[in-house]
Amino acid sequence: MAKNNRIRLSTEDIVFDTINYILLTIVIIVTLYPFVHVLAVSFNDAIDTVRGGIYLFPRKFTTFNYVSILSDPEIYNATIISALRAVIGSVLNVIASIIVAYAISRRDFVLRGIVSKVFTYSMYFTSGLIPYYLLIRDLHLMNNFLVYILPGIVSAWNIMVVRSYIDGLPASLVESAKIDGASELRIIFSIIFPLSVPVLATITLFVAVGQWNSWFDTMLFCSMNPNLSTLQYELQKVLQSTQQFTQQASFDMGLRNNSNSVTPESIRAAMTVVAVVPIMMVYPFLQKYFVKGLTIGSVKG
């Protein structure tokens, strides 16, 4: 008969595991409840929401809040702009990061130390908002889609993370490729790039989320061109308009008792869901690389 190899836990282990499970359960509840609440409000009748008491489930289910948003052509255009800047910005940032990171990872690169220090200093010292605004204006990027892409192509943090990851790869791979006559670009995209997928997926997630959630640059540089408005900027405008509604306006809507009505709170909740769901759908595809890429890319100097 096979022996029972089950390990008996001590009292201390049981107490420790129990406390861990309780704490993790609390963290999960605290993390998920705000989103579940917003989701419930977004699917609840707007006038009924004014009464309060919506927590986990909608009291009067309706999709009119989403119909009101998605019927607005500005939302479609803003979603396209946000998606384009997220995709294009992420791709260009990854390409620039791996090329520059490979260059400064090479010990035979003469300016390796100087360039690395410049990138490091730039992470701690910035010129400020006003000089940055003047630079964008002088580059004629105002009300231009390129203002979403060009300033974010090179990220010092991403470059340093990718460089640390590349430093951990066997140097013999590059040496063998050079002996076979491979060019630097061939080495980057045929050898370094496939081996660096974990860290590249990590920075892709960082950049994509940052681009998708960005709205401040839209307000500064593209507010005069509605065709370049982003989804997050439209949400910001909704949040601002919410503050302008008075209790009397909500009371008047309640008197009308019209089920096909919207309130600032219902529209805000629906737009929040619309803005969050797309990026949440991307995360599971990159999550398996996230921990490995960030850990390996940050443990080396």
Side-chain angles (χ1 to χ4, degrees):
M1 294 178 63
K3 294 182 179 180
N4 188 358
N5 295 324
R6 182 179 301 174
I7 300 176
R8 298 185 62 182
L9 297 177
S10 63
T11 303
E12 291 80 3
D13 292 333
I14 295 175
V15 173
F16 179 77
D17 291 342
T18 303
I19 294 176
N20 276 342
Y21 288 137
I22 294 174
L23 292 177
L24 289 175
T25 302
I26 294 175
V27 170
I28 292 174
I29 294 174
V30 172
T31 303
L32 292 181
Y33 174 74
F35 181 76
V36 175
H37 171 70
V38 170
L39 190 64
V41 171
S42 69
F43 280 107
N44 194 70
D45 179 72
I47 303 304
D48 181 71
T49 301
V50 177
R51 295 167 48 198
I54 305 299
Y55 300 107
L56 297 178
F57 302 99
R59 189 163 45 222
K60 291 185 178 181
F61 183 84
T62 181
T63 59
F64 185 75
N65 298 325
Y66 290 96
V67 173
S68 301
I69 293 175
L70 299 179
S71 61
D72 187 353
E74 293 183 358
I75 298 299
Y76 280 108
N77 183 75
T79 303
I80 293 174
I81 294 298
S82 294
L84 286 176
R85 68 175 294 181
V87 173
I88 298 175
S90 301
V91 171
L92 293 181
N93 185 279
V94 167
I95 294 175
S97 296
I98 192 170
I99 291 177
V100 178
Y102 172 77
I104 62 178
S105 68
R106 301 299 302 154
R107 299 189 181 278
D108 53 352
F109 179 44
V110 179
L111 301 178
R112 178 175 184 261
I114 297 177
V115 175
S116 298
K117 291 179 180 179
V118 170
F119 281 121
T120 302
Y121 293 153
S122 67
M123 291 190 293
Y124 298 99
F125 304 99
T126 60
S127 60
L129 181 59
I130 294 178
Y132 179 64
Y133 180 87
L134 296 177
L135 175 63
I136 296 298
R137 185 196 63 182
D138 293 341
L139 292 176
H140 305 288
L141 293 177
M142 301 291 291
N143 297 309
N144 191 326
F145 179 77
L146 292 179
V147 75
Y148 297 144
I149 306 300
L150 295 182
I153 289 181
V154 177
S155 171
W157 167 258
N158 291 343
I159 289 173
M160 302 307 291
V161 170
V162 177
R163 189 209 68 174
S164 298
Y165 190 94
I166 295 176
D167 285 339
L169 299 177
S172 58
L173 294 175
V174 176
E175 295 174 358
S176 299
K178 287 187 175 182
I179 292 176
D180 292 337
S183 63
E184 298 292 352
L185 289 178
R186 181 67 182 273
I187 293 174
I188 292 174
F189 292 105
S190 297
I191 299 177
I192 303 298
F193 188 91
L195 296 175
S196 303
V197 169
V199 71
L200 295 180
T202 301
I203 67 172
T204 298
L205 182 62
F206 284 157
V207 177
V209 172
Q211 288 279 17
W212 180 264
N213 290 333
S214 182
W215 63 269
F216 191 64
D217 51 357
T218 304
M219 183 184 70
L220 285 179
F221 308 124
C222 299
S223 58
M224 301 301 294
N225 189 348
N227 293 327
L228 293 179
S229 181
T230 58
L231 186 59
Q232 299 295 342
Y233 182 59
E234 293 298 323
L235 176 59
Q236 173 65 16
K237 291 194 295 185
V238 171
L239 296 178
Q240 291 178 348
S241 64
T242 301
Q243 300 174 357
Q244 300 174 1
F245 273 73
T246 62
Q247 294 181 355
Q248 183 62 39
S250 298
F251 179 74
D252 292 340
M253 285 189 295
L255 290 178
R256 289 196 295 268
N257 194 25
N258 183 3
S259 60
N260 288 337
S261 297
V262 294
T263 61
E265 185 177 2
S266 63
I267 290 295
R268 178 177 58 188
M271 286 204 65
T272 301
V273 174
V274 170
V276 169
V277 167
I279 202 68
M280 288 182 61
M281 295 175 63
V282 175
Y283 180 78
F285 297 99
L286 301 178
Q287 188 270 341
K288 63 180 180 179
Y289 300 108
F290 188 80
V291 175
K292 180 181 178 181
L294 186 60
T295 303
I296 298 179
S298 58
V299 295
K300 295 181 179 295

